[in-house]
């Protein structure tokens, strides 16, 4: 994720942890991903996209799905960051992925 994108997320979230409400300053904030980063997530997303007839690279999936504003939020610590992970809640992850895909399709 580019530094400018990180900063936009911090601005959107008013430099505030979206879990506990702390405001530790930009240097101590993290970007939390609801659908976590990593190979397992990318493989799952690729399978969902391919089932819909969409073939995209890992880089595209990372840039346009994993780092999408709907999938990111501001956290102040690893504990708060971990609390946002919905990857293993398949119903919630499917719903969020559908929302992101529709948004990305609308802007392409």
């Amino acid at each position: 994720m580019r530094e400018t994108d990180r900063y936009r997320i911090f601005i959107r979230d008013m430099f505030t942890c979206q879990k506990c409400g702390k405001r530790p300053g930009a240097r101590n904030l993290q970007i939390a991903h609801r659908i976590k980063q990593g190979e397992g997530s990318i493989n799952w997303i690729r399978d969902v996209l391919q089932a819909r007839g969409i073939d995209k690279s890992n880089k595209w999936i990372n840039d346009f799905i994993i780092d999408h504003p709907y999938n990111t939020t501001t956290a102040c610590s690893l504990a708060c960051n971990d609390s946002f992970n919905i990857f293993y809640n398949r119903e919630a992850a499917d719903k969020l992925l559908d929302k992101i895909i529709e948004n990305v399709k609308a802007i392409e």
Side-chain angles (χ1 to χ4, degrees), residues 2-79:
R2 296 179 317 206
E3 194 61 32
T4 55
D5 294 332
R6 291 173 53 82
Y7 196 71
R8 280 189 197 116
I9 294 164
F10 293 158
I11 290 171
R12 179 196 67 195
D13 294 344
M14 299 172 30
F15 294 90
T16 303
C17 177
Q18 299 301 293
K19 177 66 177 178
C20 70
K22 290 181 182 173
R23 301 186 78 193
R27 289 181 181 231
N28 296 313
L29 290 173
Q30 304 174 14
I31 298 297
H33 290 82
R34 291 182 170 95
I35 298 171
K36 67 182 185 158
Q37 296 175 304
E39 187 176 337
S41 296
I42 288 176
N43 291 338
W44 168 67
I45 292 166
R46 184 182 313 103
D47 290 346
V48 170
L49 292 174
Q50 286 178 343
R52 297 176 185 197
I54 303 168
D55 188 28
K56 297 293 183 180
S57 70
N58 287 1
K59 181 175 178 0
W60 187 94
I61 292 169
N62 194 61
D63 291 348
F64 290 94
I65 304 291
I66 298 294
D67 287 342
H68 191 279
Y70 292 168
N71 192 47
T72 56
T73 194
T74 301
C76 69
S77 67
L78 187 56

Side-chain angles (χ1 to χ4, degrees), residues 77-104:
S77 67
L78 187 56
C80 286
N81 190 321
D82 287 346
S83 74
F84 288 106
N85 183 2
I86 63 168
F87 181 71
Y88 297 107
N89 178 340
R90 194 54 64 197
E91 184 177 330
D94 285 342
K95 186 175 179 179
L96 177 58
L97 182 57
D98 287 343
K99 182 178 177 181
I100 293 169
I101 290 169
E102 287 305 311
N103 182 261
V104 169

